[in-house]
Amino acid sequence: RWPLLGRKARCLDGWGRIWRILGEPKSILCLGNGPSSEDPLLMAQRFDCLFRVNWVWQTRGMLAAPQAIFTADRDVPQSAPDAVMAFPTRAEADAILDLYERAGVSPRNGYFVMEELPSPLTAKAWPLRPTNGAMMIAAAVQLQPEKLTVAGIDLYQHPAGKYPGETPGKTGEANEYDAIHSRDNDVAAIKLALAPFNGELTIVGDRLRAALGS
């Protein structure tokens, strides 16, 4: 195994610091990659900070300039991201940042590690791992915006398929959770992540809205 390089990217070690780096956002849009991530309703939503998950959204060309990206994937971007990078664990952060640094694309505005920061989500032991989408919501709540919009988290139940623009059943990729996650686990994680939020919440996507209830 390659040894870790000297870390170039800054680790943002507190929610207050992250909030300032992100421009002290008052409204945040948390966008997963499901079909509801391109719901026309989003065009009417106001937000001053965009969170996204992984990198698959890059090929769609819509809402493609996030301020934070939540990932555990080892895909290496073509250029150094302006977005703050967020990783679930320290081990994943070190491994992925090592790849980024070898490619010369260390994130310009730093990174943070969810397990190293306080939140209801990270304080609980889960039977399965919460998805990056759930962690994204938990991070947004900890920044205490006045308004939070969540879309693109369709719990792999959207009739249009796994991602927007797909023909269901034609991609060879099952519209289902990976084995390390589950729908019930993720709904419970999202509910817990949202519990402290006292601002204006908008859920775009019938499946998630129904699963969360009131």
Side-chain angles (χ1 to χ4, degrees):
R1 185 184 184 279
W2 288 329
L4 290 174
L5 299 177
R7 185 66 65 233
K8 295 178 181 177
R10 294 175 295 166
C11 181
L12 308 176
D13 55 3
W15 291 119
R17 190 177 180 192
I18 295 165
W19 179 70
R20 289 188 292 273
I21 288 288
L22 293 174
E24 304 180 0
K26 294 182 179 180
S27 57
I28 298 175
L29 171 58
C30 287
L31 207 55
N33 294 313
S36 69
S37 65
E38 296 187 7
D39 192 300
L41 289 173
L42 294 175
M43 297 302 100
Q45 295 296 318
R46 64 171 182 86
F47 63 91
D48 49 34
C49 192
L50 173 63
F51 288 2
R52 297 227 59 163
V53 174
N54 298 330
W55 298 98
V56 299
W57 46 268
Q58 288 184 304
T59 62
R60 299 295 298 169
M62 179 179 178
L63 295 168
Q67 283 70 51
I69 299 170
F70 291 73
T71 189
D73 289 352
R74 298 195 176 199
D75 297 336
V76 177
Q78 293 183 346
S79 59
D82 291 322
V84 171
M85 299 300 301
F87 305 105
T89 68
R90 169 53 62 182
E92 287 163 321
D94 284 343
I96 294 168
L97 289 169
D98 194 29
L99 294 173
Y100 286 8
E101 289 180 8
R102 291 182 183 280
V105 293
S106 293
R108 298 185 181 97
N109 288 310
Y111 72 98
F112 62 92
V113 180
M114 285 296 297
E115 72 174 2
E116 297 176 352
L117 294 166
S119 81
L121 198 65
T122 56
K124 177 181 169 63
W126 294 94
L128 293 171
R129 177 170 167 157
T131 61
N132 286 313
M135 293 186 187
M136 168 179 67
I137 294 170
V141 169
Q142 292 305 304
L143 299 177
Q144 301 179 33
E146 296 173 3
K147 178 177 173 59
L148 176 60
T149 302
V150 178
I153 299 179
D154 299 310
L155 308 175
Y156 299 104
Q157 292 180 318
H158 200 289
K162 191 170 187 176
Y163 302 122
E166 288 187 349
T167 300
K170 298 295 185 181
T171 63
E173 191 167 5
N175 189 15
E176 186 52 87
Y177 282 87
D178 293 336
I180 62 171
H181 308 298
S182 80
R183 184 172 295 110
D184 289 346
N185 194 83
D186 223 38
V187 169
I190 293 170
K191 285 182 176 179
L192 185 63
L194 286 170
F197 185 63
N198 293 316
E200 179 186 350
L201 175 64
T202 300
I203 303 292
V204 177
D206 293 342
R207 279 78 192 167
L208 182 59
R209 191 163 53 246
L212 294 177
S214 60

